[in-house]
Amino acid sequence: MKVGALAAGGLLVSKQVADAAEADAAFMLPELDYGFDALEPHIDAMTMEIHHGKHHAGYVAKLNEAVAANKDLAGKTIEELLGDLKSISDESLMAAVRNNGGGHWNHAMFWKSLAPEGKTGKASDDLTAAINAGFGSMEKMQEEFGKAAGSRFGSGWAWLIEKDGKLMITSTPNQDAPVMKGVVPDTDLGKALLGLDVWEHAYYLKYQNKRPDYVAAFWNIVNWDAVSKRLEA
Ligand code: MN3
C-alpha cells in the first residue's frame, strides 16, 4: 500500500471499521452523567478519566470479544449472562464473562451511584427507615460499610444490599457482582443498592495506600436519589 493511501484513506477506513464494530457490539461503554472533574476533590479527574475510559472500556471490549466468540451468548442482557454463568461450560469463556461482564455491570452501577457534591439528593424516607432498621442509623451503616470496604483483601467491591426485605453490608472479590448466580461463593446476594469499587485503580493516584480516606470521601458524593430509587424498584 502506498503511504499516501494509508494516510488519506487509511484513517477514514479504520474509523468506519471502528464505527461498524461499535454498532455490532453487544455492549457499550455508558457515558457518565457528569464530567471527569465533577467529583473533585473526592475523586480526581485523572482517576475518573482512566477508570472510565480505560478500565471500564476494557471490560466492555473484552466482554464483547467473549460474547462474539460463542453464539449461545448472543442477544442476552448483562443480567441474563451474569445470572446464568453456570450454563457456560467452557471454563475460560465463563471466566471471561464473569470478570469482564462483572466489571461492566459493577462500573455501570458505580457511575450511577455517584453525583457531584451538592447534587447528591438525599435518602428517601423509605431508605432512611430501612437503614435505621438494619443498622440503627446512617452513621452505623457507613461504619459497617467502611469496615467491609477496608477488610476486602486485594481487589473487590463493598455493597449495601437488600435481601428478603432487610438491608445488609457485604463485599465481593475481584469483579464479582451481586447479580451473579452460580459462582463461588454460590449465594444470592440480593439486590444491590450501593457499591464501592475498592480496586487500587479507583483511588491510588490520589489516596495511594490510604483506602480508608477514599472510603470516607466517597460519602460526600453518593447519589442518594439513585440509591433510594433502587430500593423502590
Ligand atoms: Mn474499577
Side-chain angles (χ1 to χ4, degrees):
M1 191 187 286
K2 285 180 190 166
V3 173
L6 183 65
L11 283 176
L12 183 65
V13 169
S14 61
K15 182 170 187 329
Q16 283 166 345
V17 169
D19 287 349
E22 201 167 271
D24 288 346
F27 299 100
M28 305 256 294
L29 179 67
E31 278 184 37
L32 297 177
D33 297 330
Y34 39 78
F36 292 130
D37 62 353
L39 306 178
E40 297 257 14
H42 308 294
I43 301 179
D44 60 288
M46 185 179 279
T47 294
M48 285 300 294
E49 189 169 355
I50 296 169
H51 200 176
H52 178 261
K54 302 292 181 195
H55 290 278
H56 189 175
Y59 298 125
V60 172
K62 287 184 184 144
L63 174 63
N64 283 331
E65 271 175 39
V67 169
N70 186 325
K71 62 176 167 45
D72 293 342
L73 304 181
K76 294 192 176 178
T77 66
I78 187 67
E79 287 81 8
E80 286 168 344
L81 285 173
L82 298 180
D84 194 21
L85 286 170
K86 265 184 183 155
S87 72
I88 307 174
S89 54
D90 182 298
E91 234 173 78
S92 69
L93 184 64
M94 194 278 259
V97 174
R98 178 181 183 172
N99 292 329
N100 297 297
H104 176 40
W105 191 92
N106 287 337
H107 286 85
M109 197 261 193
F110 184 49
W111 309 133
K112 293 281 186 192
S113 300
L114 304 174
E117 192 169 14
K119 296 181 182 171
T120 57
K122 64 185 186 73
S124 68
D125 292 347
D126 285 352
L127 179 62
T128 301
I131 287 173
N132 290 340
F135 307 97
S137 67
M138 175 65 94
E139 288 68 33
K140 292 277 184 210
M141 184 280 283
Q142 293 185 358
E143 205 176 291
E144 199 171 317
F145 190 100
K147 278 185 205 156
S151 61
R152 167 49 59 193
F153 184 76
S155 298
W157 292 75
W159 302 100
L160 172 66
I161 61 167
E162 190 246 305
K163 194 180 176 189
D164 304 327
K166 278 191 67 181
L167 299 202
M168 286 176 262
I169 303 291
T170 190
S171 70
T172 56
N174 305 311
Q175 293 296 355
D176 280 0
V179 287
M180 285 180 182
K181 306 285 182 288
V183 290
V184 181
D186 189 2
T187 50
D188 178 359
L189 290 182
K191 180 163 71 176
L193 304 180
L194 177 65
L196 176 62
D197 189 342
V198 296
W199 285 55
E200 283 188 345
H201 70 224
Y203 63 87
Y204 202 84
L205 289 180
K206 182 177 172 75
Y207 295 97
Q208 294 85 47
N209 61 320
K210 300 184 286 285
R211 188 191 287 184
D213 291 359
Y214 160 69
V215 177
F218 164 68
W219 296 115
N220 294 296
I221 49 171
V222 170
N223 185 339
W224 288 110
D225 287 340
V227 180
S228 301
K229 283 199 185 100
R230 287 181 189 134
L231 182 66
E232 282 168 34

